[in-house]
Amino acid sequence: MRILHTSDWHIGRSFHGNSTLDALRGVLATLTEQVREHRVDVVVVAGDVFDSATPAASCYTMLTDVLRDISDAGAQIVLTSGNHDNAARLGFMAPLLRDGIHVVTDPARVGTPITLTDEHGPVHFYGIPYLEPIVVRGVWAGVPLRTQEQAIAHAMSLVHADRAVRGGRSVAVSHCFAAGVEASPGVEREIRTDLRQGSLDVVPLSAFDGPDYVALGHIHGRSRLGEHVRYSGAPLHYSFSEAGKPRGSWLVDLDADGLARVEWLELPVPRPLVTLRGTLDELLSDASHEAHIDAWVCAVLTDATPQPEPMRRLQQRFPHCATIQLDPQGRVEDDGRSYRARVVAARSDGELIDTFLTHVREGEGASADEHEMLADVIASRAAAAHEATVPA
């Protein structure tokens, strides 16, 4: 049996205020072609199908189109819910879908597989939706479920019990943060938030012993925790911290004895991501940046003082400049005096103006050219004032 493992589609997620629907639609169209080209039997989607618990209507339309296209390409689908999904909303559509599209969102179904067959016999797919401890306590009464580690451990105990009875080959699908993976900063922030709320913790790799393959979701980069335990990552880059990391899915072959082969299938990157660093003038003029004209750009500005209309000016050169970060360099160290104290201490009009500029520019006073210009203006005004006091 040939399986394509994907996850974390995050349909509906925006990228710094820009819709990703069209880009994702194109990438998933390529994935569908890979299903057809490689004669995939089953596509596994390991959670976070949507980015929001309340996705827009266009997100449902896109999911319907993609699932239909994958089904038309000849594959069955096993799809589970992730922490971004609303399990009830996602599961509501399950009975309405055509045969061969299986949506698993109900924790009460954990341990009851979706059984598909090939020439070697049955393969049991055990879908484990995202398990929030406070929710599943009502499903598994009497089981201590304070952490997700405990929830996954109990879910896998149900899987093991069923496997012992049924026998044969098996695949587990789960959405969690398993031991031994390195998350991107964006996902790490999400994990730390969930940890503070007590709803997510690290699940040990040993929890997934037993099945022939374990398809995981939640981490946006591909990761191999063991030969049979892997993350596929997201099909799109959803943050600048993911720039340069491959996008794709795992092509998994099961033979009569279990896991036979795993291959990585690349997906296209619709628009590359790049972080450019320098002063605004450098970013606008450096010829080496021509290669990034069509990329998503994160501009890290090192100007010592705020620059006028930086986004407008950057987008004239980089139409897809998505965000600006400020990292000013070369500021004058604060001497601890208040602005009032500096004004009082000024010994001339030039020093007074320079004190004002230093204050409003957050540490940078007048430049050499500005000093020269100010000196000329002050001298001219002094001369005019002197002439006005001299009798004609």
Side-chain angles (χ1 to χ4, degrees), residues 283-297:
L283 297 188
L284 293 176
S285 61
D286 191 335
S288 67
H289 296 326
E290 283 296 311
H292 308 303
I293 294 298
D294 293 324
W296 287 117
V297 171

Side-chain angles (χ1 to χ4, degrees), residues 63-250:
L63 177 61
T64 301
D65 291 344
V66 172
L67 295 182
R68 182 199 61 229
D69 292 345
I70 291 174
S71 178
D72 289 344
Q76 298 203 52
I77 301 162
V78 176
L79 180 152
T80 64
S81 52
N83 58 303
H84 277 253
D85 298 308
N86 182 303
R89 283 197 174 98
L90 186 59
F92 172 78
M93 63 187 290
L96 308 177
L97 297 173
R98 67 169 68 173
D99 290 342
I101 301 177
H102 312 275
V103 179
V104 182
T105 62
D106 184 359
R109 283 192 57 187
V110 171
T112 302
I114 296 161
T115 299
L116 308 176
T117 59
D118 63 8
E119 66 271 25
H120 303 298
V123 178
H124 308 296
F125 288 81
Y126 293 93
I128 303 175
Y130 174 70
L131 301 177
E132 192 168 349
I134 195 171
V135 173
V136 294
R137 286 174 200 161
V139 178
W140 299 318
V143 180
L145 296 172
R146 292 183 297 275
T147 67
Q148 199 183 46
E149 177 184 351
Q150 292 174 323
I152 293 291
H154 181 68
M156 287 303 296
S157 73
L158 299 176
V159 171
H160 296 324
D162 190 81
R163 288 180 59 248
V165 174
R166 294 179 190 273
R169 297 161 296 165
S170 61
V171 174
V173 185
S174 181
H175 192 89
C176 65
F177 182 57
V181 295
E182 179 183 354
S184 67
V187 173
E188 285 175 352
R189 284 193 296 273
E190 180 179 314
I191 291 167
R192 285 196 295 270
T193 299
D194 288 336
L195 281 169
R196 286 194 297 271
Q197 295 171 348
S199 62
L200 183 65
D201 50 45
V202 178
V203 177
L205 183 58
S206 60
F208 297 110
D209 290 342
D212 295 285
Y213 185 76
V214 179
L216 296 179
H218 186 54
I219 302 303
H220 287 190
R222 72 175 180 185
S223 184
R224 175 185 175 277
L225 278 66
E227 187 60 25
H228 77 298
V229 183
R230 299 174 187 244
Y231 285 96
S232 64
L236 280 183
H237 292 119
Y238 285 118
S239 73
F240 281 99
S241 63
E242 299 171 17
K245 295 182 179 180
R247 303 288 90 170
S249 52
W250 293 111

